[in-house]
Amino acid sequence: MDMKMLIGGQFVDASDGKTQENRNPATGELIGTVPAATKEDIDRAVANAVKGQKEWSRVPLYRRIEIFDKFRELLAANRRKVAEMMCREGGKLIGDALGEVDITGYVFRVFGEGARNHYGLTLTQGIEPRIEKDIVFTRNEPLGVVACIVPFNFPAELYAHKVAPALITGNAVIVKSASDTPMADIMFTELLVQAGVPGNAAQIVTGSGAKIGDWLTQDPRVDAISLTGSTEVGAHIMATAAKHVPHVYLELGGNDPLIVCEDCGDLDAAVQDSLDGRVYNAGQTCCASKRFLVHNSLLDAYTKKLVKALTGLRVGDPSKPETQMGPVISERAAKDVIGQVEATVAAGAKCLLGGKRNGAFVEPTVLAGVTRAMPVAGQLEIFGPVFPVIGFDTVEEAIEIANGSPYGLHAGVRTASMKTAMKFATELQCGCVVIGGSGNYRSAHQAFGGYKQTGVGREGVGYTLNEFTQTKTVALRSILD
Ligand code: NAD
């Protein structure tokens, strides 16, 4: 099944006819190809978007919301088809893929609702002597053309968190899907155009991330860039796009801790949190728990229970409903994960479970004896089902270890003490602290984003509408007697 890009409302090949393969990570089967866009294709898409944005921004908000409603209807009608593609191209469990399609519809709904209440402000009358006869108010205006760069791990939900707020506020979008998961994103874009978004306002391009990414982000006609991806790519975009000063929003890497305190109470629940935080999506979630900080008095018991809970996990075909964990995104990614595990073992950690792979399937892996000095305790993000367990003695020490990373997305904390919980909540340097559960947590309404090298900006209904608009002040001089 070969698919094409959507440029200017038309399904098109690359201008030189070149394509890129899309393979199923679970089986290695060739699903089909997508175009490998050329510079000429990207130039055309950006020129279209400039025109499309003018057309789309003239569509009244209530009508844009009706178009979103139609999109959600079409999405519901195509729910299984899209989810099956996400399962095939991304190795996502079919149940999780269906759930993600539903979340996608929900995200479009709530950004539509939020946009109705995205008001401007009026200055309090008579605030200063010079302007007492003026009326001064603001308008929220679109930025223009927004490049939405989506990662492989949540091709639907993260597509929605960029495209929905950008479109509803009157911007045009050009989506650059991840090279490993382009097909579901092409389907979403087709449904948006079918629902009534002009073909020049919603486009999708496919091909090499590095090439297309650079062409798109360095084009001065692109007014904003919203990337979810690795810190490496985010830093590159920030540096190279700087020449034309676009708005740059970055949701990047993480190495989130799950902290199990001495007074955690129910250790089985803490082990379940660990699984919830790390088995989901085969450990490839930005806000997954990636370091397991456990009080030294509980370390042995926790580790034994964790190994037991992971032993016998049903790893396999993601299209079967009984499977509990599928593959990672590719064999190449699985090799990287195993390389990181081996490096951690070489640094002194002990592998108590797993540590091997079969194709793109990585065994659930438990690493004990991990110390603060090891890269995995700080800057090394492992994107797979790996559980590095680190002991600590005091709450202060746990906070120090947790903060000893260049990243700061989420954290989960298990403690029975409200005081301890609040100490973590105030002292952890991260975008969200979950008390009583795993940090693998996201609501469409919360401020989602990170501290430090996890990025710039926040996604969420109360936030992205502001980020994708600019405020214009209008002053009506001497309008009042
Ligand atoms: P990646 O950085 O390799 O790719 C992300 C996207 O950027 C892809 O679409 C890719 O094609 C594109 N890209 C690559 N080079 C580019 C360039 N030079 N210019 C512009 N775009 C370019 O990341 P990935 O492997 O797809 O995703 C995994 C990473 O994403 C992890 O680090 C994970 O933590 C992070 N992530 C963060 C969040 C968050 O919200 N903070 C959410 C999900 C994933």
Side-chain angles (χ1 to χ4, degrees), residues 148-154 158 162 176-181 207-218 225 227-234 236-237 240 250-255 284-287 290 329 332 381 383 407 409 442 448-450 454-455 459:
C148 301
I149 307 177
V150 183
F152 74 81
N153 58 345
F154 291 91
L158 299 180
K162 298 180 187 314
K176 154 72 189 86
S177 58
S179 309
D180 288 314
T181 53
S208 149
K211 282 191 199 158
I212 300 181
D214 281 352
W215 293 328
L216 260 183
T217 57
Q218 292 172 33
I225 298 156
L227 163 89
T228 299
S230 59
T231 295
E232 192 188 348
V233 170
H236 170 80
I237 289 179
T240 54
L250 303 169
E251 297 285 345
L252 308 175
N255 197 7
Q284 306 163 106
T285 304
C286 48
C287 59
K290 293 174 187 150
I329 188 63
R332 175 179 33 84
E381 174 187 32
F383 226 46
Y407 305 115
L409 186 52
R442 182 168 194 173
F448 189 87
T454 292
E459 286 182 345

Side-chain angles (χ1 to χ4, degrees), residues 367-437:
L367 298 174
V370 173
T371 67
R372 298 168 65 163
M374 296 179 191
V376 75
Q379 83 274 18
L380 179 65
E381 174 187 32
I382 301 186
F383 226 46
V386 179
F387 296 73
V389 184
I390 309 171
F392 69 86
D393 283 318
T394 63
V395 166
E396 287 71 22
E397 191 188 356
I399 292 171
E400 248 181 66
I401 300 171
N403 288 342
S405 163
Y407 305 115
L409 186 52
H410 282 198
V413 179
R414 274 258 168 199
T415 172
S417 154
M418 198 61 195
K419 260 195 155 170
T420 308
M422 284 312 297
K423 187 172 171 67
F424 280 112
T426 50
E427 293 189 24
L428 289 177
Q429 297 160 349
C430 60
C432 169
V433 179
V434 177
I435 307 292

Side-chain angles (χ1 to χ4, degrees), residues 451-467:
Y451 280 32
K452 302 190 272 185
Q453 292 179 26
T454 292
V456 178
R458 294 289 181 269
E459 286 182 345
V461 177
Y463 304 87
T464 331
L465 295 171
N466 285 332
E467 292 189 347

Side-chain angles (χ1 to χ4, degrees), residues 59-395:
V59 174
L61 177 61
Y62 73 84
R63 178 66 194 130
R64 284 184 222 148
I65 295 170
E66 284 168 6
I67 290 172
F68 271 26
D69 290 345
K70 180 71 191 164
F71 167 74
R72 293 194 294 110
E73 258 173 47
L74 293 169
L75 188 63
N78 286 278
R79 177 175 184 259
R80 184 150 279 277
K81 188 172 147 200
V82 183
E84 280 171 0
M85 178 53 82
M86 289 162 65
C87 175
R88 266 178 98 189
E89 68 176 351
K92 197 174 278 272
L93 296 186
I94 186 65
D96 291 348
L98 286 163
E100 197 180 323
V101 175
D102 295 341
I103 290 173
T104 301
Y106 178 75
V107 171
F108 271 84
R109 186 184 114 197
V110 293
F111 271 109
E113 288 165 359
R116 283 192 210 273
N117 301 313
H118 190 224
Y119 304 125
L121 292 170
T122 307
L123 278 196
T124 311
Q125 202 61 54
I127 199 164
E128 280 179 40
R130 294 176 295 117
I131 61 169
E132 62 198 313
K133 293 193 173 160
D134 300 354
I135 294 179
V136 183
F137 63 93
T138 66
R139 288 166 49 79
N140 295 320
E141 297 190 346
L143 298 177
V145 176
V146 181
C148 301
I149 307 177
V150 183
F152 74 81
N153 58 345
F154 291 91
E157 185 176 357
L158 299 180
Y159 175 103
H161 268 286
K162 298 180 187 314
V163 172
L167 283 179
I168 205 68
T169 46
N171 298 284
V173 297
I174 302 174
V175 177
K176 154 72 189 86
S177 58
S179 309
D180 288 314
T181 53
M183 291 184 169
D185 283 351
I186 292 176
M187 291 172 168
F188 297 133
T189 312
E190 181 185 4
L191 297 180
L192 277 171
V193 173
Q194 262 182 37
V197 181
N200 284 338
Q203 305 178 92
I204 181 162
V205 293
T206 55
S208 149
K211 282 191 199 158
I212 300 181
D214 281 352
W215 293 328
L216 260 183
T217 57
Q218 292 172 33
D219 189 316
R221 295 168 296 175
V222 171
D223 302 284
I225 298 156
S226 175
L227 163 89
T228 299
S230 59
T231 295
E232 192 188 348
V233 170
H236 170 80
I237 289 179
M238 217 175 185
T240 54
K243 243 184 176 165
H244 72 282
V245 201
H247 295 250
V248 178
Y249 303 112
L250 303 169
E251 297 285 345
L252 308 175
N255 197 7
D256 296 354
L258 173 66
I259 303 169
V260 181
C261 294
E262 189 177 13
D263 64 350
C264 76
D266 184 350
L267 199 55
D268 290 315
V271 169
Q272 189 54 50
D273 288 345
S274 311
L275 264 64
D276 293 346
R278 196 53 162 159
V279 170
Y280 178 61
N281 217 27
Q284 306 163 106
T285 304
C286 48
C287 59
S289 306
K290 293 174 187 150
R291 297 176 286 162
F292 298 81
L293 277 53
V294 181
H295 191 268
N296 276 322
S297 65
L298 303 172
L299 202 54
D300 279 350
Y302 169 86
T303 314
K304 280 193 188 117
K305 280 177 186 284
L306 181 64
V307 168
K308 191 167 168 219
L310 288 168
T311 305
L313 197 76
R314 290 187 299 278
V315 179
D317 183 348
S319 67
K320 294 213 164 104
E322 64 274 17
T323 302
Q324 292 172 295
M325 195 178 82
V328 295
I329 188 63
S330 62
E331 187 162 4
R332 175 179 33 84
K335 282 184 188 160
D336 286 349
V337 170
I338 296 303
Q340 291 167 325
V341 167
E342 286 170 356
T344 307
V345 170
K350 200 164 162 211
C351 183
L352 299 183
L353 182 76
K356 296 200 194 66
R357 70 169 181 93
N358 179 8
F361 290 90
V362 176
E363 293 175 354
T365 297
V366 177
L367 298 174
V370 173
T371 67
R372 298 168 65 163
M374 296 179 191
V376 75
Q379 83 274 18
L380 179 65
E381 174 187 32
I382 301 186
F383 226 46
V386 179
F387 296 73
V389 184
I390 309 171
F392 69 86
D393 283 318
T394 63
V395 166

